Amino acid sequence: MKNSRGFASDNNSGIHPDILAAIEKANAGHVIAYGDDLYTENAKKIIRQHFGECDVFFVLTGTGANVMGLSALTSPFHSVICAESAHIYVDECGAPERFCGCKLLPVETKDGKLTPVSVAGHIHGFGFEHHSQPKIISISQSSELGTVYTPEEIRRLADYAHDYNMFLHMDGARLSNAVVSVGTDFKSVTKDAGVDILSFGGTKNGMLFAESVIFFRKGLSDNFKYIRKQSMQLASKMRFISVQFEAYLSNDLWKRNAAHANRMAQMLSDEVSKINGITITQRTESNAVFAILPEESVTRLQQECFFYVWDEKKSEVRWMTSFDTTEEDIMKFISLLKKNV
Amino acid sequence: MKNSRGFASDNNSGIHPDILAAIEKANAGHVIAYGDDLYTENAKKIIRQHFGECDVFFVLTGTGANVMGLSALTSPFHSVICAESAHIYVDECGAPERFCGCKLLPVETKDGKLTPVSVAGHIHGFGFEHHSQPKIISISQSSELGTVYTPEEIRRLADYAHDYNMFLHMDGARLSNAVVSVGTDFKSVTKDAGVDILSFGGTKNGMLFAESVIFFRKGLSDNFKYIRKQSMQLASKMRFISVQFEAYLSNDLWKRNAAHANRMAQMLSDEVSKINGITITQRTESNAVFAILPEESVTRLQQECFFYVWDEKKSEVRWMTSFDTTEEDIMKFISLLKKNV
Amino acid sequence: MKNSRGFASDNNSGIHPDILAAIEKANAGHVIAYGDDLYTENAKKIIRQHFGECDVFFVLTGTGANVMGLSALTSPFHSVICAESAHIYVDECGAPERFCGCKLLPVETKDGKLTPVSVAGHIHGFGFEHHSQPKIISISQSSELGTVYTPEEIRRLADYAHDYNMFLHMDGARLSNAVVSVGTDFKSVTKDAGVDILSFGGTKNGMLFAESVIFFRKGLSDNFKYIRKQSMQLASKMRFISVQFEAYLSNDLWKRNAAHANRMAQMLSDEVSKINGITITQRTESNAVFAILPEESVTRLQQECFFYVWDEKKSEVRWMTSFDTTEEDIMKFISLLKKNV
Amino acid sequence: MKNSRGFASDNNSGIHPDILAAIEKANAGHVIAYGDDLYTENAKKIIRQHFGECDVFFVLTGTGANVMGLSALTSPFHSVICAESAHIYVDECGAPERFCGCKLLPVETKDGKLTPVSVAGHIHGFGFEHHSQPKIISISQSSELGTVYTPEEIRRLADYAHDYNMFLHMDGARLSNAVVSVGTDFKSVTKDAGVDILSFGGTKNGMLFAESVIFFRKGLSDNFKYIRKQSMQLASKMRFISVQFEAYLSNDLWKRNAAHANRMAQMLSDEVSKINGITITQRTESNAVFAILPEESVTRLQQECFFYVWDEKKSEVRWMTSFDTTEEDIMKFISLLKKNV
């Protein structure tokens, strides 16, 4: 099959060659299933080199990483506060509610990012048995709107959460793009900024199926192995997840892939902003570009190169770049835009 | 790393080269995520060639396939009848209870197989609101004790279930081994034998992570896409599951792998039965050998070549063969046994 | 103990003498437990006289009635749309999410009432597996803000819901007050207005513990007896719930109690509106009065006669009247208000 | 209606006059809803006088008390070990599985009672993530077969449970009958015998709807108020549950009722054992008599005086006595038996 590249989603991309090579290399002989193997031990070590001391669990899907992580830190009578654009709120078919039993409380935002001020309206009713007890503030880094939190912004949310005996959860499905964007390292925007638990994803940046849940506080993960198994996310041939993470965090693969995708998004954003009739609606800080363009243009364009409408009412669309996006892809798409807007 | 092969589990094996090649071949360009792609369409077509008309959903883990399948056919006030040795009863950490909310009712068996007579004790209380309502009979083909149901045995259970307006569920994590064992095809032991829903697994017979849920009755799968998503088992890069199934069902790969593993089990069983002090405890009908040997021998042997004790009280162990087991592996293990029993 | 009456909640009131008399009268000999008795049969008949043909189930708590009703009409991948002030959203500690597994989607309102226009923002994503599927619009009659839907308003919501293959659920914890308020009968604001399922409560209007779930559409309640039992709400001595409903719906007790409470609320509202420094914030259409008064007055008043602050930010309070509120109670409270505002 | 008394169930009886009088007496004025009232405070004090220091929560149904209690001490990956005749296993429509998410593990017994030896087969797999982790041993006192544990038998189970870091749960729906039977007090068979959590029921011994969950270990109940609310079992007019318990534990009402019911069962048992063709199958230690009699006799008898068949295969029936059973009731039933067996 001949598959062309587009801007619909970084999930549509394939596997980076280095990741596939790592899988092939690990494909020899028998290894104890379910993670009790040396590949997995190594991968955890490398993650600790990047994130500092932490407990690491490998899982299969991003929704799984989020839901299991939230489940580990909550009881069903708790609530989770998140942006109304959060993946856990709008894109997981209610899996957090079903699996955790918790209430999710949405916060309206302009840019997909929470602040202590914007979450404050949900922080009340502690000790009142009629009220779901607030327990987690969940943020996405980078956010679903392509924006990025600075370490200071995260620290403020973490301090705020901890003041109320709550946890800060980070959905890091696109963490690498965010780290590259703020020009720092993994530890600075997670452990050092006060994050308690992280979904650290690889699938959107060149891995096959490989996600992880990382706990930064002692004691939080004691029962997580049961939660992972009971959530149907314990992979038997775990070594093949582990070696993906190993390859990802070696030779700066994560950084090269993310930096490239971010650069492509910036290029796309720059070029788009020169076109009359299209308005960029969010700062392009990672690998996403949000723009408003005429509805009829959208329909025509989608037929040539599919992408998603983000907000039908505003005719706002989302374009994602990926580790394998090329400058040529962008210039071709820009021509298409120029012809159709 | 140098990984030697053993007899602990078919989950410990790696990826068959043809499967890996299929993944590599599909790794080109962008493809719509979450299964709306041509690879997935093709894979479903091939599955229908083998199983007859059916609805197919690809998922990531065997526990996931079982739990989601049971969930699709039950409400929380239902019960599921299974062998007390069933994977869903003893090896899924209670995931079926948590996710479906159902009661699982165990049936004592000698050989891991159910019959209408043995399940009858649980078939009562219909319409009585204090009683979990029986809804599913779940069997494993091949069973967790390595035995295999004939098509007639399955048909009798299916008829029995349908008489009570119940469903027959089959855990087919090792279905290929069973099909080879009875010398028939997939359709004869599933759709044609009255099975309503099947977990059709590939991971234990050469795939990477690839399982599926197959519905044989119209209308049962209408909401399954939501259940799969809410169960966190919707893979974004679905094409890489689909092509594994395509490769598996092409060129008789499934049959070659399963036949080989079964043959190796038979060889192991034959050789073991010649050794004094070891008793084979189950018929060797697929790729498992069950045997009782002295406790102190077990401990010594496990240090040289790890495998699992199945029943500590009886000192009964389980040895699994796999698609990559060699005759040399077996003869080496036989020597080891001879030295240590 | 000497318990004075206040305006904190209609839940704080006791049992109407006619209700208690009915319990006493039924307290003779043995009766088959769990509802298979003549008292229960009679009570259901009387309910059908008031509501038209319907399926009736008696339960113990209002939260129970709501949660079980929602559960009967949903799968966990569904969503329920409600006012952000709805009891199911803010006062049930997340029980709907835990028990149904569903997502609850809040709608901002001025007066606690939904309209087709205000819910429209949540009506999308049908067939998209990443999105919780909208299945129920839930309204409270009378609303948590003391306002009341006309039959026409309910009909419009019902039609809207049915257009999308959704259901209209009504939380009728204070249905009697609403029926009196619109000057009609039970059937006109429920079955005839298109309501599919109703929580019909009695506890807030003179009963002890007595609530019910009423289904107006054939086929919806087929499995409800199992849901009620599994939800731990099947009362063994059911006759004592049933006779409360019988007494409630006989001799216009429901109407006399509700009319009285409404009249008391109107009187309170009228008197309050004459006091400088207090602003009535909602139309007084049932047995609730909402008002803004100075924060320091609230604190002083609560010490003499406790009531709840509804919205701390606005210093808005809620005063509830009850079937046993007297004119003297109100005039005493008005004096207190005059002294303290 | 004229309701005659029978032997079908102690749930079929009505309300003891002292209990009803207590409800009437508390029916004055307003009281803060949901348990923050003096009646409830008093009732808890009296319970502590009988049981020693403990945390007490009032609820509405026996199934509710059991399920919420189990839920308080478990996570969904835990298992609960109980007799295969336990109410939680066979009579709650799977509510424990649905609400707790746990696996229930049945133990075969002759007399409805567990011992350390009989539960031992389920005590394994600690730390193994594929296995539901054993967390609770649950016993019924008196048992569903009418037998009673001595304090020593309970202590042995408690010690055994605690050795494995597990809890001992007691379903005390008929605790009063058991206490009278062993000739001791509440504390001796619960707190002093090592019970961690108790469902202490009143409905079967003269109350209306009144059950409670009692925690004997510090710290276990910290979140129980949220669990009770989320389980839909928080009664608004709590005072009317509380005063039932107050009346029950005053003037030895609990003891008089239970002693009477037990005596009636003994009398029934004694008389029955004189009849040819009926075999008593369990020791009559509380208020239940189990007997085998010819199937055709059962059918004839049920038409005159309904009771339940316990085990259809054996034609074994259960007869329950109650606080209001009279000697005349028994002698009439004995005549009936004599005529029909």
Side-chain angles (χ1 to χ4, degrees):
Chain A
M1 257 172 259
K2 170 104 186 48
N3 308 310
S4 56
R5 283 181 302 274
F7 299 90
S9 173
D10 34 11
N11 280 323
N12 291 9
S13 65
I15 314 165
H16 189 278
D18 294 4
I19 297 290
L20 201 47
I23 291 175
E24 282 176 56
K25 205 180 146 200
N27 190 28
H30 284 206
V31 157
I32 290 193
Y34 300 114
D36 198 8
D37 64 86
L38 284 174
Y39 299 101
T40 303
E41 204 181 306
N42 280 348
K44 290 182 182 176
K45 256 187 227 156
I46 293 168
I47 285 184
R48 286 194 197 99
Q49 285 164 14
H50 284 269
F51 286 90
E53 192 50 37
C54 59
D55 295 318
V56 182
F57 296 82
F58 296 123
V59 300
L60 286 157
T61 68
T63 293
N66 284 334
V67 172
M68 288 184 280
L70 298 176
S71 178
L73 305 192
T74 54
S75 288
F77 52 80
H78 285 135
S79 63
V80 175
I81 301 167
C82 60
E84 65 173 6
S85 55
H87 196 268
I88 59 169
Y89 194 70
V90 293
D91 284 316
E92 301 186 351
C93 199
E97 285 91 345
R98 177 173 197 177
F99 201 75
C100 307
C102 291
K103 182 179 279 300
L104 265 68
L105 296 170
V107 174
E108 216 183 314
T109 75
K110 279 191 184 161
D111 57 2
K113 289 166 61 180
L114 300 179
T115 66
V117 168
S118 69
V119 303
H122 288 308
I123 307 290
H124 63 89
F126 292 100
F128 185 56
E129 71 207 275
H130 302 261
H131 191 72
S132 289
Q133 300 292 296
K135 196 65 195 171
I136 289 186
I137 297 173
S138 176
I139 60 176
S140 302
Q141 171 79 321
S142 54
S143 85
E144 287 78 7
L145 299 180
T147 54
V148 170
Y149 289 89
T150 65
E152 296 70 33
E153 289 171 332
I154 297 168
R155 168 50 69 190
R156 276 196 290 276
L157 278 161
D159 289 347
Y160 186 85
H162 299 154
D163 281 351
Y164 288 97
N165 198 25
M166 296 171 64
F167 297 112
L168 184 63
H169 169 263
M170 180 181 277
D171 177 350
R174 295 186 184 99
L175 182 62
S176 301
N177 302 85
V179 169
V180 163
S181 178
V182 292
T184 175
D185 53 35
F186 286 116
K187 193 156 169 271
S188 303
V189 295
T190 57
K191 185 171 191 173
D192 289 352
V195 170
D196 296 298
I197 186 169
L198 167 71
S199 297
F200 175 41
T203 311
K204 291 180 197 294
N205 196 28
M207 294 203 215
L208 170 49
F209 314 119
E211 306 284 323
S212 58
V213 180
I214 301 182
F215 295 82
F216 293 112
R217 255 208 237 183
K218 276 275 154 238
L220 296 184
S221 69
D222 290 355
N223 290 318
F224 193 72
K225 66 177 177 176
Y226 306 113
I227 294 174
R228 179 174 59 177
K229 176 63 196 176
Q230 210 182 27
S231 302
M232 323 165 221
Q233 290 265 342
L234 177 63
S236 55
K237 297 184 176 175
M238 184 75 83
R239 61 172 142 167
F240 298 113
I241 302 182
S242 305
V243 295
Q244 292 182 63
F245 273 102
E246 189 186 331
Y248 188 65
L249 292 173
S250 302
N251 305 316
D252 277 350
L253 179 59
W254 67 273
K255 194 188 272 187
R256 286 181 284 132
N257 281 0
H260 177 78
N262 286 8
R263 204 161 46 236
M264 290 299 100
Q266 196 52 60
M267 183 179 165
L268 177 60
S269 182
D270 291 346
E271 293 297 326
V272 162
S273 63
K274 297 176 194 161
I275 304 175
N276 276 339
I278 313 188
T279 314
I280 303 284
T281 54
Q282 294 287 343
R283 291 185 309 280
T284 304
E285 296 179 348
S286 58
N287 65 323
V289 177
F290 286 80
I292 289 176
L293 61 168
E295 224 179 299
E296 61 280 8
S297 306
V298 170
T299 318
R300 279 201 305 271
L301 283 158
Q302 282 178 321
Q303 279 157 3
E304 303 238 17
C305 181
F306 184 74
F307 53 85
Y308 292 97
V309 174
W310 187 256
D311 184 334
E312 281 194 28
K313 275 184 248 158
K314 296 196 225 162
S315 191
E316 185 181 22
V317 305
R318 185 193 72 164
W319 296 314
M320 300 298 302
T321 56
S322 160
F323 74 90
D324 63 351
T325 306
T326 65
E327 296 195 7
E328 199 195 353
D329 293 339
I330 288 175
M331 292 323 296
K332 259 171 140 178
F333 188 60
I334 291 292
S335 318
L336 212 64
L337 282 174
K338 284 181 176 161
K339 257 183 275 174
N340 286 286
V341 177
Chain B
M1 260 175 259
K2 169 109 185 45
N3 309 311
S4 56
R5 284 182 301 276
F7 299 91
S9 172
D10 35 10
N11 281 321
N12 290 9
S13 65
I15 314 164
H16 188 278
D18 293 4
I19 297 291
L20 201 47
I23 291 175
E24 280 175 59
K25 205 180 146 199
N27 190 27
H30 283 206
V31 158
I32 290 193
Y34 301 112
D36 198 8
D37 64 86
L38 284 175
Y39 299 100
T40 303
E41 204 181 307
N42 280 348
K44 290 182 180 177
K45 255 188 225 156
I46 294 168
I47 285 184
R48 285 193 199 102
Q49 286 164 12
H50 284 267
F51 287 90
E53 191 51 35
C54 59
D55 296 317
V56 182
F57 295 82
F58 297 122
V59 300
L60 287 157
T61 68
T63 293
N66 284 335
V67 172
M68 288 183 282
L70 297 177
S71 178
L73 304 192
T74 53
S75 288
F77 52 81
H78 285 136
S79 62
V80 175
I81 300 168
C82 60
E84 65 173 6
S85 54
H87 197 268
I88 59 169
Y89 194 68
V90 293
D91 283 317
E92 302 187 350
C93 200
E97 285 91 344
R98 176 173 197 176
F99 201 76
C100 307
C102 291
K103 182 181 281 298
L104 266 67
L105 295 170
V107 174
E108 217 181 313
T109 75
K110 278 190 188 162
D111 57 2
K113 289 166 59 180
L114 299 180
T115 66
V117 169
S118 69
V119 303
H122 289 307
I123 307 291
H124 63 88
F126 292 101
F128 185 54
E129 71 207 277
H130 302 261
H131 191 73
S132 290
Q133 299 292 296
K135 196 66 197 172
I136 289 186
I137 297 174
S138 176
I139 60 175
S140 303
Q141 172 78 320
S142 54
S143 85
E144 287 79 6
L145 298 181
T147 54
V148 169
Y149 289 88
T150 64
E152 296 70 33
E153 288 171 332
I154 298 168
R155 167 51 67 193
R156 277 197 290 276
L157 278 162
D159 289 347
Y160 186 85
H162 299 155
D163 281 351
Y164 288 98
N165 198 25
M166 296 171 65
F167 297 112
L168 183 63
H169 169 263
M170 179 181 278
D171 177 351
R174 294 186 184 98
L175 183 61
S176 301
N177 302 84
V179 170
V180 164
S181 178
V182 291
T184 175
D185 54 34
F186 286 115
K187 191 156 171 271
S188 304
V189 294
T190 57
K191 184 170 193 175
D192 289 352
V195 171
D196 297 297
I197 185 168
L198 168 71
S199 298
F200 176 40
T203 311
K204 291 180 198 294
N205 197 28
M207 295 202 214
L208 171 49
F209 314 119
E211 305 284 324
S212 57
V213 180
I214 301 182
F215 295 82
F216 293 111
R217 253 208 237 181
K218 275 276 153 240
L220 295 185
S221 70
D222 290 354
N223 290 317
F224 194 72
K225 65 178 178 175
Y226 306 113
I227 293 174
R228 178 174 61 177
K229 176 62 196 176
Q230 211 183 27
S231 302
M232 322 163 222
Q233 290 264 344
L234 178 63
S236 55
K237 297 183 176 176
M238 186 74 84
R239 60 171 142 166
F240 298 111
I241 302 183
S242 306
V243 295
Q244 292 182 64
F245 273 102
E246 189 187 334
Y248 188 66
L249 292 173
S250 302
N251 304 316
D252 277 349
L253 178 59
W254 67 274
K255 193 188 273 186
R256 286 181 284 130
N257 282 359
H260 177 79
N262 287 8
R263 204 160 48 236
M264 291 299 100
Q266 196 52 60
M267 181 180 167
L268 177 60
S269 182
D270 291 346
E271 295 296 326
V272 162
S273 64
K274 299 174 194 162
I275 305 175
N276 276 339
I278 312 188
T279 315
I280 303 284
T281 55
Q282 295 288 344
R283 291 185 309 279
T284 303
E285 298 180 348
S286 58
N287 64 324
V289 178
F290 287 78
I292 289 177
L293 61 168
E295 224 179 296
E296 60 280 10
S297 305
V298 171
T299 317
R300 277 199 308 270
L301 282 159
Q302 282 179 322
Q303 279 157 6
E304 302 237 20
C305 182
F306 184 75
F307 53 83
Y308 292 97
V309 173
W310 187 256
D311 185 333
E312 279 194 29
K313 276 185 249 159
K314 299 197 224 159
S315 192
E316 186 181 22
V317 305
R318 185 193 71 166
W319 297 314
M320 302 297 304
T321 57
S322 161
F323 72 90
D324 63 352
T325 305
T326 65
E327 299 196 5
E328 199 196 354
D329 294 339
I330 288 175
M331 293 322 295
K332 259 174 145 175
F333 188 61
I334 292 291
S335 318
L336 211 63
L337 282 173
K338 286 179 175 163
K339 256 182 278 176
N340 287 285
V341 177
Chain C
M1 260 174 258
K2 169 106 187 46
N3 308 311
S4 57
R5 285 181 301 274
F7 299 90
S9 173
D10 35 9
N11 280 322
N12 291 9
S13 64
I15 314 164
H16 189 277
D18 294 3
I19 297 290
L20 201 46
I23 291 175
E24 281 175 57
K25 206 179 147 201
N27 190 28
H30 284 205
V31 158
I32 290 194
Y34 301 114
D36 199 7
D37 65 86
L38 285 175
Y39 299 101
T40 302
E41 204 180 305
N42 279 348
K44 289 182 182 177
K45 256 187 226 156
I46 294 169
I47 285 184
R48 286 194 198 101
Q49 286 164 14
H50 285 268
F51 286 91
E53 192 50 36
C54 59
D55 295 318
V56 182
F57 296 81
F58 297 122
V59 300
L60 286 158
T61 67
T63 293
N66 284 334
V67 172
M68 287 183 282
L70 298 176
S71 177
L73 305 192
T74 54
S75 287
F77 52 80
H78 285 135
S79 62
V80 176
I81 301 168
C82 59
E84 65 173 7
S85 55
H87 196 268
I88 58 169
Y89 194 68
V90 293
D91 283 317
E92 301 187 350
C93 200
E97 285 90 345
R98 177 173 196 176
F99 201 75
C100 307
C102 291
K103 182 181 280 298
L104 267 67
L105 294 170
V107 174
E108 217 182 315
T109 76
K110 277 190 186 161
D111 57 2
K113 289 166 59 181
L114 299 180
T115 65
V117 169
S118 69
V119 303
H122 288 308
I123 307 290
H124 63 89
F126 292 101
F128 184 56
E129 72 207 278
H130 302 262
H131 191 73
S132 289
Q133 299 292 296
K135 195 66 194 171
I136 289 186
I137 296 174
S138 176
I139 60 175
S140 303
Q141 171 79 321
S142 54
S143 85
E144 287 78 7
L145 299 180
T147 54
V148 169
Y149 290 88
T150 65
E152 296 71 33
E153 288 171 332
I154 297 168
R155 168 50 68 192
R156 276 197 289 275
L157 278 161
D159 289 347
Y160 186 85
H162 300 155
D163 281 351
Y164 288 97
N165 197 25
M166 297 170 65
F167 297 112
L168 184 63
H169 169 264
M170 179 181 279
D171 178 351
R174 294 186 183 98
L175 182 61
S176 301
N177 303 85
V179 169
V180 165
S181 178
V182 293
T184 175
D185 54 33
F186 286 116
K187 192 156 170 273
S188 304
V189 294
T190 57
K191 185 171 190 172
D192 289 353
V195 170
D196 297 297
I197 185 168
L198 167 71
S199 298
F200 175 41
T203 310
K204 291 179 197 294
N205 196 30
M207 294 203 214
L208 171 50
F209 315 119
E211 307 283 325
S212 58
V213 181
I214 301 182
F215 295 83
F216 293 111
R217 255 208 237 182
K218 276 277 154 239
L220 296 184
S221 70
D222 290 355
N223 291 317
F224 194 72
K225 65 177 178 175
Y226 306 112
I227 293 174
R228 178 173 61 175
K229 175 62 195 176
Q230 211 183 26
S231 302
M232 322 165 224
Q233 289 265 342
L234 177 63
S236 56
K237 298 184 175 176
M238 185 75 85
R239 60 172 142 168
F240 299 112
I241 302 183
S242 305
V243 295
Q244 292 182 63
F245 272 103
E246 188 186 333
Y248 188 67
L249 292 173
S250 302
N251 304 317
D252 277 350
L253 179 60
W254 68 273
K255 193 189 273 187
R256 286 181 285 130
N257 281 359
H260 177 78
N262 286 8
R263 203 159 49 234
M264 291 299 99
Q266 196 52 60
M267 182 180 164
L268 177 61
S269 182
D270 291 347
E271 293 298 325
V272 161
S273 64
K274 298 174 193 162
I275 304 175
N276 276 338
I278 313 188
T279 314
I280 302 285
T281 54
Q282 294 287 344
R283 291 186 309 282
T284 304
E285 296 179 349
S286 59
N287 65 323
V289 178
F290 286 80
I292 288 177
L293 62 168
E295 224 179 298
E296 59 280 10
S297 307
V298 171
T299 318
R300 277 200 307 271
L301 283 159
Q302 282 178 321
Q303 279 157 5
E304 305 235 19
C305 181
F306 184 75
F307 54 83
Y308 292 97
V309 174
W310 188 256
D311 185 333
E312 279 192 30
K313 273 185 247 161
K314 297 196 224 161
S315 191
E316 186 181 22
V317 304
R318 185 193 73 164
W319 296 316
M320 301 298 302
T321 57
S322 161
F323 73 90
D324 63 352
T325 305
T326 65
E327 297 196 6
E328 200 196 351
D329 293 340
I330 288 174
M331 293 322 296
K332 259 172 141 176
F333 189 61
I334 292 293
S335 317
L336 210 65
L337 282 175
K338 284 179 176 162
K339 257 183 278 177
N340 286 286
V341 177
Chain D
M1 259 173 256
K2 171 107 186 42
N3 308 312
S4 56
R5 284 181 302 275
F7 299 90
S9 173
D10 35 9
N11 280 323
N12 289 10
S13 65
I15 314 165
H16 189 279
D18 294 3
I19 297 290
L20 201 47
I23 290 175
E24 281 176 57
K25 205 179 145 200
N27 190 29
H30 284 206
V31 157
I32 290 192
Y34 300 113
D36 199 8
D37 65 86
L38 285 174
Y39 299 100
T40 303
E41 203 180 308
N42 280 347
K44 289 181 181 177
K45 258 187 223 153
I46 293 168
I47 285 184
R48 286 192 198 101
Q49 285 164 15
H50 284 267
F51 286 91
E53 191 51 36
C54 59
D55 295 318
V56 182
F57 295 81
F58 296 123
V59 302
L60 287 156
T61 68
T63 293
N66 284 335
V67 172
M68 287 184 280
L70 297 177
S71 177
L73 305 192
T74 53
S75 287
F77 52 81
H78 285 135
S79 63
V80 175
I81 301 167
C82 60
E84 66 172 6
S85 55
H87 196 268
I88 59 170
Y89 195 69
V90 293
D91 283 317
E92 302 188 347
C93 199
E97 285 91 344
R98 176 174 197 175
F99 201 75
C100 306
C102 290
K103 181 180 280 297
L104 266 66
L105 296 170
V107 174
E108 216 182 314
T109 76
K110 278 190 184 162
D111 57 2
K113 288 166 60 181
L114 300 180
T115 65
V117 169
S118 69
V119 303
H122 288 309
I123 307 291
H124 63 88
F126 293 101
F128 185 55
E129 71 207 276
H130 302 262
H131 191 72
S132 290
Q133 299 292 296
K135 196 66 195 171
I136 289 187
I137 296 174
S138 176
I139 60 175
S140 302
Q141 171 78 320
S142 54
S143 85
E144 288 77 8
L145 299 180
T147 53
V148 170
Y149 289 89
T150 64
E152 296 70 35
E153 288 172 334
I154 297 167
R155 166 51 68 191
R156 277 197 289 276
L157 279 161
D159 289 347
Y160 185 84
H162 299 155
D163 281 352
Y164 288 97
N165 198 25
M166 296 171 66
F167 297 112
L168 183 63
H169 169 263
M170 180 181 277
D171 177 350
R174 295 186 184 97
L175 183 61
S176 301
N177 302 85
V179 169
V180 164
S181 177
V182 291
T184 175
D185 53 33
F186 286 116
K187 192 156 170 271
S188 303
V189 294
T190 57
K191 185 170 192 175
D192 289 353
V195 171
D196 297 297
I197 185 168
L198 168 72
S199 298
F200 175 41
T203 310
K204 290 180 198 293
N205 197 27
M207 294 201 215
L208 170 50
F209 314 119
E211 305 284 325
S212 58
V213 181
I214 302 182
F215 295 83
F216 293 112
R217 254 207 237 181
K218 277 274 153 241
L220 295 184
S221 70
D222 290 356
N223 290 318
F224 193 72
K225 66 177 178 177
Y226 306 113
I227 293 174
R228 178 174 61 178
K229 174 63 196 177
Q230 211 183 24
S231 302
M232 323 165 222
Q233 289 264 345
L234 178 64
S236 56
K237 297 182 176 178
M238 185 74 84
R239 60 172 143 166
F240 298 112
I241 303 182
S242 305
V243 295
Q244 293 183 63
F245 273 102
E246 189 186 333
Y248 188 67
L249 292 174
S250 303
N251 304 316
D252 277 348
L253 178 60
W254 67 273
K255 193 187 275 187
R256 287 181 284 131
N257 282 359
H260 176 79
N262 286 9
R263 205 160 46 236
M264 291 299 98
Q266 195 53 60
M267 182 180 165
L268 177 59
S269 182
D270 291 346
E271 294 296 327
V272 162
S273 63
K274 299 174 193 164
I275 305 174
N276 276 338
I278 313 188
T279 314
I280 302 285
T281 54
Q282 294 288 343
R283 292 185 309 281
T284 303
E285 297 180 346
S286 58
N287 64 324
V289 178
F290 287 79
I292 288 177
L293 62 169
E295 225 179 296
E296 59 280 10
S297 306
V298 171
T299 318
R300 279 199 307 271
L301 282 158
Q302 282 178 323
Q303 278 157 6
E304 303 237 19
C305 181
F306 183 75
F307 53 84
Y308 292 97
V309 174
W310 187 257
D311 185 333
E312 280 193 29
K313 275 183 249 159
K314 298 196 225 162
S315 190
E316 185 182 24
V317 307
R318 186 194 71 164
W319 297 315
M320 301 298 303
T321 56
S322 160
F323 72 91
D324 63 352
T325 305
T326 65
E327 297 194 7
E328 200 196 353
D329 293 341
I330 288 175
M331 293 321 297
K332 260 172 140 175
F333 189 61
I334 291 293
S335 319
L336 211 64
L337 284 173
K338 286 179 175 161
K339 256 181 278 175
N340 287 285
V341 177

